[in-house]
PDB file of all heavy atoms in Angstrom:
ATOM      1  N   VAL I   1       7.501 -30.336  -5.078  1.00 96.00           N
ATOM      2  CA  VAL I   1       7.829 -29.970  -3.697  1.00 96.00           C
ATOM      3  C   VAL I   1       8.185 -28.493  -3.634  1.00 96.00           C
ATOM      4  O   VAL I   1       9.022 -28.006  -4.409  1.00 96.00           O
ATOM      5  CB  VAL I   1       8.995 -30.809  -3.136  1.00 96.00           C
ATOM      6  CG1 VAL I   1       9.338 -30.358  -1.711  1.00 96.00           C
ATOM      7  CG2 VAL I   1       8.645 -32.294  -3.144  1.00 96.00           C
ATOM      8  N   VAL I   2       7.540 -27.778  -2.717  1.00 96.00           N
ATOM      9  CA  VAL I   2       7.815 -26.361  -2.477  1.00 96.00           C
ATOM     10  C   VAL I   2       8.511 -26.213  -1.129  1.00 96.00           C
ATOM     11  O   VAL I   2       8.154 -26.879  -0.152  1.00 96.00           O
ATOM     12  CB  VAL I   2       6.513 -25.540  -2.497  1.00 96.00           C
ATOM     13  CG1 VAL I   2       6.698 -24.171  -1.848  1.00 96.00           C
ATOM     14  CG2 VAL I   2       6.032 -25.365  -3.935  1.00 96.00           C
ATOM     15  N   LEU I   3       9.501 -25.321  -1.078  1.00 97.00           N
ATOM     16  CA  LEU I   3      10.187 -25.007   0.171  1.00 97.00           C
ATOM     17  C   LEU I   3       9.784 -23.607   0.611  1.00 97.00           C
ATOM     18  O   LEU I   3       9.683 -22.697  -0.216  1.00 97.00           O
ATOM     19  CB  LEU I   3      11.700 -25.100  -0.004  1.00 97.00           C
ATOM     20  CG  LEU I   3      12.529 -24.888   1.279  1.00 97.00           C
ATOM     21  CD1 LEU I   3      13.701 -25.860   1.316  1.00 97.00           C
ATOM     22  CD2 LEU I   3      13.053 -23.454   1.389  1.00 97.00           C
ATOM     23  N   THR I   4       9.591 -23.438   1.927  1.00 96.00           N
ATOM     24  CA  THR I   4       9.252 -22.132   2.496  1.00 96.00           C
ATOM     25  C   THR I   4       9.766 -22.090   3.922  1.00 96.00           C
ATOM     26  O   THR I   4      10.437 -23.028   4.389  1.00 96.00           O
ATOM     27  CB  THR I   4       7.735 -21.882   2.436  1.00 96.00           C
ATOM     28  OG1 THR I   4       7.454 -20.553   2.899  1.00 96.00           O
ATOM     29  CG2 THR I   4       6.973 -22.878   3.281  1.00 96.00           C
ATOM     30  N   ASN I   5       9.469 -20.989   4.628  1.00 95.00           N
ATOM     31  CA  ASN I   5       9.794 -20.930   6.053  1.00 95.00           C
ATOM     32  C   ASN I   5       8.777 -21.729   6.860  1.00 95.00           C
ATOM     33  O   ASN I   5       7.583 -21.766   6.523  1.00 95.00           O
ATOM     34  CB  ASN I   5       9.786 -19.488   6.557  1.00 95.00           C
ATOM     35  CG  ASN I   5      11.010 -18.695   6.128  1.00 95.00           C
ATOM     36  OD1 ASN I   5      10.917 -17.521   5.834  1.00 95.00           O
ATOM     37  ND2 ASN I   5      12.186 -19.326   6.098  1.00 95.00           N
ATOM     38  N   PHE I   6       9.257 -22.316   7.959  1.00 93.00           N
ATOM     39  CA  PHE I   6       8.334 -23.056   8.824  1.00 93.00           C
ATOM     40  C   PHE I   6       7.290 -22.121   9.426  1.00 93.00           C
ATOM     41  O   PHE I   6       6.109 -22.473   9.524  1.00 93.00           O
ATOM     42  CB  PHE I   6       9.105 -23.769   9.944  1.00 93.00           C
ATOM     43  CG  PHE I   6       8.197 -24.366  10.986  1.00 93.00           C
ATOM     44  CD1 PHE I   6       7.491 -25.531  10.741  1.00 93.00           C
ATOM     45  CD2 PHE I   6       8.019 -23.737  12.220  1.00 93.00           C
ATOM     46  CE1 PHE I   6       6.643 -26.065  11.693  1.00 93.00           C
ATOM     47  CE2 PHE I   6       7.175 -24.271  13.170  1.00 93.00           C
ATOM     48  CZ  PHE I   6       6.480 -25.436  12.909  1.00 93.00           C
ATOM     49  N   HIS I   7       7.711 -20.908   9.807  1.00 91.00           N
ATOM     50  CA  HIS I   7       6.749 -20.023  10.477  1.00 91.00           C
ATOM     51  C   HIS I   7       5.640 -19.569   9.531  1.00 91.00           C
ATOM     52  O   HIS I   7       4.603 -19.078   9.967  1.00 91.00           O
ATOM     53  CB  HIS I   7       7.461 -18.816  11.121  1.00 91.00           C
ATOM     54  CG  HIS I   7       7.913 -17.755  10.161  1.00 91.00           C
ATOM     55  ND1 HIS I   7       9.220 -17.628   9.728  1.00 91.00           N
ATOM     56  CD2 HIS I   7       7.211 -16.750   9.553  1.00 91.00           C
ATOM     57  CE1 HIS I   7       9.307 -16.597   8.908  1.00 91.00           C
ATOM     58  NE2 HIS I   7       8.110 -16.039   8.779  1.00 91.00           N
ATOM     59  N   VAL I   8       5.838 -19.752   8.210  1.00 92.00           N
ATOM     60  CA  VAL I   8       4.801 -19.392   7.235  1.00 92.00           C
ATOM     61  C   VAL I   8       3.665 -20.411   7.250  1.00 92.00           C
ATOM     62  O   VAL I   8       2.502 -20.051   7.051  1.00 92.00           O
ATOM     63  CB  VAL I   8       5.417 -19.268   5.823  1.00 92.00           C
ATOM     64  CG1 VAL I   8       4.334 -19.096   4.762  1.00 92.00           C
ATOM     65  CG2 VAL I   8       6.391 -18.093   5.769  1.00 92.00           C
ATOM     66  N   VAL I   9       3.992 -21.702   7.475  1.00 91.00           N
ATOM     67  CA  VAL I   9       2.958 -22.751   7.442  1.00 91.00           C
ATOM     68  C   VAL I   9       2.648 -23.290   8.841  1.00 91.00           C
ATOM     69  O   VAL I   9       1.884 -24.245   8.986  1.00 91.00           O
ATOM     70  CB  VAL I   9       3.391 -23.913   6.519  1.00 91.00           C
ATOM     71  CG1 VAL I   9       3.505 -23.454   5.089  1.00 91.00           C
ATOM     72  CG2 VAL I   9       4.705 -24.538   6.997  1.00 91.00           C
ATOM     73  N   GLU I  10       3.243 -22.692   9.872  1.00 89.00           N
ATOM     74  CA  GLU I  10       3.057 -23.194  11.232  1.00 89.00           C
ATOM     75  C   GLU I  10       1.576 -23.194  11.617  1.00 89.00           C
ATOM     76  O   GLU I  10       0.848 -22.244  11.361  1.00 89.00           O
ATOM     77  CB  GLU I  10       3.839 -22.322  12.223  1.00 89.00           C
ATOM     78  CG  GLU I  10       3.733 -22.796  13.659  1.00 89.00           C
ATOM     79  CD  GLU I  10       4.538 -21.933  14.612  1.00 89.00           C
ATOM     80  OE1 GLU I  10       5.144 -20.930  14.144  1.00 89.00           O
ATOM     81  OE2 GLU I  10       4.578 -22.248  15.802  1.00 89.00           O
ATOM     82  N   GLY I  11       1.152 -24.298  12.236  1.00 82.00           N
ATOM     83  CA  GLY I  11      -0.218 -24.378  12.722  1.00 82.00           C
ATOM     84  C   GLY I  11      -1.154 -25.132  11.812  1.00 82.00           C
ATOM     85  O   GLY I  11      -2.346 -25.261  12.114  1.00 82.00           O
ATOM     86  N   SER I  12      -0.674 -25.666  10.690  1.00 83.00           N
ATOM     87  CA  SER I  12      -1.554 -26.383   9.776  1.00 83.00           C
ATOM     88  C   SER I  12      -0.783 -27.499   9.092  1.00 83.00           C
ATOM     89  O   SER I  12       0.411 -27.361   8.805  1.00 83.00           O
ATOM     90  CB  SER I  12      -2.121 -25.432   8.714  1.00 83.00           C
ATOM     91  OG  SER I  12      -2.938 -26.137   7.803  1.00 83.00           O
ATOM     92  N   ASP I  13      -1.481 -28.600   8.823  1.00 84.00           N
ATOM     93  CA  ASP I  13      -0.868 -29.708   8.090  1.00 84.00           C
ATOM     94  C   ASP I  13      -0.882 -29.451   6.586  1.00 84.00           C
ATOM     95  O   ASP I  13      -0.159 -30.108   5.831  1.00 84.00           O
ATOM     96  CB  ASP I  13      -1.601 -31.026   8.380  1.00 84.00           C
ATOM     97  CG  ASP I  13      -1.413 -31.475   9.826  1.00 84.00           C
ATOM     98  OD1 ASP I  13      -0.390 -31.096  10.428  1.00 84.00           O
ATOM     99  OD2 ASP I  13      -2.291 -32.186  10.352  1.00 84.00           O
ATOM    100  N   TYR I  14      -1.736 -28.537   6.156  1.00 84.00           N
ATOM    101  CA  TYR I  14      -1.857 -28.239   4.726  1.00 84.00           C
ATOM    102  C   TYR I  14      -1.635 -26.745   4.502  1.00 84.00           C
ATOM    103  O   TYR I  14      -1.850 -25.928   5.405  1.00 84.00           O
ATOM    104  CB  TYR I  14      -3.232 -28.633   4.196  1.00 84.00           C
ATOM    105  CG  TYR I  14      -3.451 -30.133   4.204  1.00 84.00           C
ATOM    106  CD1 TYR I  14      -3.994 -30.763   5.324  1.00 84.00           C
ATOM    107  CD2 TYR I  14      -3.114 -30.902   3.095  1.00 84.00           C
ATOM    108  CE1 TYR I  14      -4.184 -32.143   5.345  1.00 84.00           C
ATOM    109  CE2 TYR I  14      -3.306 -32.278   3.110  1.00 84.00           C
ATOM    110  CZ  TYR I  14      -3.839 -32.890   4.234  1.00 84.00           C
ATOM    111  OH  TYR I  14      -4.021 -34.245   4.242  1.00 84.00           O
ATOM    112  N   ALA I  15      -1.194 -26.410   3.282  1.00 85.00           N
ATOM    113  CA  ALA I  15      -0.949 -25.005   2.946  1.00 85.00           C
ATOM    114  C   ALA I  15      -1.599 -24.689   1.596  1.00 85.00           C
ATOM    115  O   ALA I  15      -1.438 -25.442   0.633  1.00 85.00           O
ATOM    116  CB  ALA I  15       0.550 -24.733   2.883  1.00 85.00           C
ATOM    117  N   GLU I  16      -2.339 -23.585   1.581  1.00 85.00           N
ATOM    118  CA  GLU I  16      -2.921 -23.121   0.309  1.00 85.00           C
ATOM    119  C   GLU I  16      -1.902 -22.251  -0.408  1.00 85.00           C
ATOM    120  O   GLU I  16      -1.169 -21.487   0.218  1.00 85.00           O
ATOM    121  CB  GLU I  16      -4.194 -22.314   0.577  1.00 85.00           C
ATOM    122  CG  GLU I  16      -5.335 -23.140   1.131  1.00 85.00           C
ATOM    123  CD  GLU I  16      -6.620 -22.337   1.237  1.00 85.00           C
ATOM    124  OE1 GLU I  16      -6.820 -21.440   0.393  1.00 85.00           O
ATOM    125  OE2 GLU I  16      -7.390 -22.606   2.168  1.00 85.00           O
ATOM    126  N   MET I  17      -1.888 -22.362  -1.750  1.00 87.00           N
ATOM    127  CA  MET I  17      -0.889 -21.628  -2.532  1.00 87.00           C
ATOM    128  C   MET I  17      -1.491 -21.114  -3.844  1.00 87.00           C
ATOM    129  O   MET I  17      -2.523 -21.603  -4.304  1.00 87.00           O
ATOM    130  CB  MET I  17       0.300 -22.539  -2.847  1.00 87.00           C
ATOM    131  CG  MET I  17       1.023 -23.040  -1.613  1.00 87.00           C
ATOM    132  SD  MET I  17       2.542 -23.886  -2.010  1.00 87.00           S
ATOM    133  CE  MET I  17       2.965 -24.489  -0.367  1.00 87.00           C
ATOM    134  N   LYS I  18      -0.804 -20.148  -4.391  1.00 87.00           N
ATOM    135  CA  LYS I  18      -1.181 -19.601  -5.696  1.00 87.00           C
ATOM    136  C   LYS I  18       0.072 -19.486  -6.536  1.00 87.00           C
ATOM    137  O   LYS I  18       1.076 -18.926  -6.085  1.00 87.00           O
ATOM    138  CB  LYS I  18      -1.841 -18.231  -5.535  1.00 87.00           C
ATOM    139  CG  LYS I  18      -2.420 -17.671  -6.826  1.00 87.00           C
ATOM    140  CD  LYS I  18      -3.138 -16.355  -6.545  1.00 87.00           C
ATOM    141  CE  LYS I  18      -3.770 -15.793  -7.818  1.00 87.00           C
ATOM    142  NZ  LYS I  18      -4.472 -14.517  -7.557  1.00 87.00           N
ATOM    143  N   LEU I  19       0.006 -20.042  -7.759  1.00 88.00           N
ATOM    144  CA  LEU I  19       1.166 -20.030  -8.638  1.00 88.00           C
ATOM    145  C   LEU I  19       1.246 -18.714  -9.410  1.00 88.00           C
ATOM    146  O   LEU I  19       0.311 -17.905  -9.413  1.00 88.00           O
ATOM    147  CB  LEU I  19       1.092 -21.202  -9.612  1.00 88.00           C
ATOM    148  CG  LEU I  19       0.905 -22.604  -8.998  1.00 88.00           C
ATOM    149  CD1 LEU I  19       0.967 -23.659 -10.084  1.00 88.00           C
ATOM    150  CD2 LEU I  19       1.930 -22.876  -7.917  1.00 88.00           C
ATOM    151  N   HIS I  20       2.355 -18.530 -10.099  1.00 87.00           N
ATOM    152  CA  HIS I  20       2.551 -17.303 -10.858  1.00 87.00           C
ATOM    153  C   HIS I  20       1.537 -17.159 -11.993  1.00 87.00           C
ATOM    154  O   HIS I  20       1.188 -16.045 -12.400  1.00 87.00           O
ATOM    155  CB  HIS I  20       3.981 -17.285 -11.430  1.00 87.00           C
ATOM    156  CG  HIS I  20       4.329 -16.021 -12.126  1.00 87.00           C
ATOM    157  ND1 HIS I  20       4.713 -15.963 -13.454  1.00 87.00           N
ATOM    158  CD2 HIS I  20       4.336 -14.724 -11.683  1.00 87.00           C
ATOM    159  CE1 HIS I  20       4.944 -14.713 -13.789  1.00 87.00           C
ATOM    160  NE2 HIS I  20       4.733 -13.937 -12.742  1.00 87.00           N
ATOM    161  N   ASN I  21       1.010 -18.287 -12.478  1.00 82.00           N
ATOM    162  CA  ASN I  21       0.003 -18.240 -13.554  1.00 82.00           C
ATOM    163  C   ASN I  21      -1.407 -18.073 -12.996  1.00 82.00           C
ATOM    164  O   ASN I  21      -2.391 -18.311 -13.698  1.00 82.00           O
ATOM    165  CB  ASN I  21       0.093 -19.497 -14.419  1.00 82.00           C
ATOM    166  CG  ASN I  21      -0.173 -20.773 -13.610  1.00 82.00           C
ATOM    167  OD1 ASN I  21      -0.565 -20.713 -12.439  1.00 82.00           O
ATOM    168  ND2 ASN I  21       0.047 -21.912 -14.241  1.00 82.00           N
ATOM    169  N   ASN I  22      -1.492 -17.701 -11.712  1.00 80.00           N
ATOM    170  CA  ASN I  22      -2.752 -17.445 -11.009  1.00 80.00           C
ATOM    171  C   ASN I  22      -3.547 -18.711 -10.674  1.00 80.00           C
ATOM    172  O   ASN I  22      -4.676 -18.626 -10.188  1.00 80.00           O
ATOM    173  CB  ASN I  22      -3.658 -16.482 -11.798  1.00 80.00           C
ATOM    174  CG  ASN I  22      -3.071 -15.079 -11.828  1.00 80.00           C
ATOM    175  OD1 ASN I  22      -2.505 -14.626 -10.829  1.00 80.00           O
ATOM    176  ND2 ASN I  22      -3.191 -14.398 -12.962  1.00 80.00           N
ATOM    177  N   GLN I  23      -2.983 -19.860 -10.949  1.00 82.00           N
ATOM    178  CA  GLN I  23      -3.658 -21.101 -10.569  1.00 82.00           C
ATOM    179  C   GLN I  23      -3.533 -21.306  -9.063  1.00 82.00           C
ATOM    180  O   GLN I  23      -2.450 -21.202  -8.497  1.00 82.00           O
ATOM    181  CB  GLN I  23      -3.026 -22.288 -11.307  1.00 82.00           C
ATOM    182  CG  GLN I  23      -3.666 -23.626 -10.956  1.00 82.00           C
ATOM    183  CD  GLN I  23      -2.975 -24.803 -11.653  1.00 82.00           C
ATOM    184  OE1 GLN I  23      -2.091 -24.604 -12.479  1.00 82.00           O
ATOM    185  NE2 GLN I  23      -3.388 -26.005 -11.322  1.00 82.00           N
ATOM    186  N   GLU I  24      -4.647 -21.602  -8.404  1.00 80.00           N
ATOM    187  CA  GLU I  24      -4.633 -21.871  -6.966  1.00 80.00           C
ATOM    188  C   GLU I  24      -4.506 -23.370  -6.723  1.00 80.00           C
ATOM    189  O   GLU I  24      -5.090 -24.178  -7.452  1.00 80.00           O
ATOM    190  CB  GLU I  24      -5.906 -21.330  -6.308  1.00 80.00           C
ATOM    191  CG  GLU I  24      -5.983 -19.807  -6.324  1.00 80.00           C
ATOM    192  CD  GLU I  24      -7.171 -19.277  -5.543  1.00 80.00           C
ATOM    193  OE1 GLU I  24      -8.015 -20.111  -5.158  1.00 80.00           O
ATOM    194  OE2 GLU I  24      -7.244 -18.061  -5.324  1.00 80.00           O
ATOM    195  N   THR I  25      -3.795 -23.717  -5.700  1.00 81.00           N
ATOM    196  CA  THR I  25      -3.574 -25.128  -5.383  1.00 81.00           C
ATOM    197  C   THR I  25      -3.244 -25.242  -3.894  1.00 81.00           C
ATOM    198  O   THR I  25      -3.299 -24.251  -3.154  1.00 81.00           O
ATOM    199  CB  THR I  25      -2.437 -25.700  -6.250  1.00 81.00           C
ATOM    200  OG1 THR I  25      -2.324 -27.108  -6.004  1.00 81.00           O
ATOM    201  CG2 THR I  25      -1.099 -25.034  -5.940  1.00 81.00           C
ATOM    202  N   PHE I  26      -2.926 -26.447  -3.453  1.00 83.00           N
ATOM    203  CA  PHE I  26      -2.542 -26.644  -2.048  1.00 83.00           C
ATOM    204  C   PHE I  26      -1.580 -27.833  -1.969  1.00 83.00           C
ATOM    205  O   PHE I  26      -1.412 -28.598  -2.922  1.00 83.00           O
ATOM    206  CB  PHE I  26      -3.766 -26.871  -1.155  1.00 83.00           C
ATOM    207  CG  PHE I  26      -4.454 -28.191  -1.383  1.00 83.00           C
ATOM    208  CD1 PHE I  26      -4.149 -29.293  -0.604  1.00 83.00           C
ATOM    209  CD2 PHE I  26      -5.409 -28.320  -2.383  1.00 83.00           C
ATOM    210  CE1 PHE I  26      -4.779 -30.500  -0.820  1.00 83.00           C
ATOM    211  CE2 PHE I  26      -6.043 -29.528  -2.598  1.00 83.00           C
ATOM    212  CZ  PHE I  26      -5.727 -30.636  -1.823  1.00 83.00           C
ATOM    213  N   GLY I  27      -0.981 -27.963  -0.822  1.00 87.00           N
ATOM    214  CA  GLY I  27      -0.053 -29.081  -0.598  1.00 87.00           C
ATOM    215  C   GLY I  27      -0.041 -29.468   0.873  1.00 87.00           C
ATOM    216  O   GLY I  27      -0.550 -28.746   1.734  1.00 87.00           O
ATOM    217  N   LYS I  28       0.555 -30.618   1.154  1.00 91.00           N
ATOM    218  CA  LYS I  28       0.644 -31.131   2.527  1.00 91.00           C
ATOM    219  C   LYS I  28       2.051 -30.891   3.074  1.00 91.00           C
ATOM    220  O   LYS I  28       3.045 -31.174   2.395  1.00 91.00           O
ATOM    221  CB  LYS I  28       0.339 -32.631   2.560  1.00 91.00           C
ATOM    222  CG  LYS I  28       0.418 -33.249   3.959  1.00 91.00           C
ATOM    223  CD  LYS I  28      -0.004 -34.702   3.940  1.00 91.00           C
ATOM    224  CE  LYS I  28       0.181 -35.357   5.289  1.00 91.00           C
ATOM    225  NZ  LYS I  28      -0.535 -34.688   6.377  1.00 91.00           N
ATOM    226  N   VAL I  29       2.113 -30.370   4.285  1.00 92.00           N
ATOM    227  CA  VAL I  29       3.415 -30.146   4.934  1.00 92.00           C
ATOM    228  C   VAL I  29       4.043 -31.507   5.213  1.00 92.00           C
ATOM    229  O   VAL I  29       3.479 -32.324   5.948  1.00 92.00           O
ATOM    230  CB  VAL I  29       3.262 -29.339   6.234  1.00 92.00           C
ATOM    231  CG1 VAL I  29       4.624 -29.153   6.896  1.00 92.00           C
ATOM    232  CG2 VAL I  29       2.610 -27.988   5.948  1.00 92.00           C
ATOM    233  N   MET I  30       5.203 -31.769   4.631  1.00 93.00           N
ATOM    234  CA  MET I  30       5.811 -33.101   4.739  1.00 93.00           C
ATOM    235  C   MET I  30       7.021 -33.145   5.668  1.00 93.00           C
ATOM    236  O   MET I  30       7.377 -34.208   6.182  1.00 93.00           O
ATOM    237  CB  MET I  30       6.239 -33.609   3.352  1.00 93.00           C
ATOM    238  CG  MET I  30       7.237 -32.716   2.639  1.00 93.00           C
ATOM    239  SD  MET I  30       7.698 -33.332   0.986  1.00 93.00           S
ATOM    240  CE  MET I  30       8.778 -34.686   1.399  1.00 93.00           C
TER     241      MET I  30
END
């Protein structure tokens, strides 16, 4: 589980992300 600001993910049910090891991934706004 990742925490962020709501205004960062506002407008989408899913969020794309990139980890510190450069791996790209995504998650669902819960």
Side-chain angles (χ1 to χ4, degrees):
V1 178
V2 163
L3 184 140
T4 185
N5 285 143
F6 171 76
H7 75 259
V8 172
V9 295
E10 182 179 2
S12 178
D13 293 334
Y14 293 90
E16 292 186 32
M17 298 189 187
K18 187 176 182 180
L19 306 185
H20 185 239
N21 61 8
N22 291 322
Q23 179 183 354
E24 292 186 350
T25 185
F26 70 95
K28 180 175 175 57
V29 179
M30 59 181 285

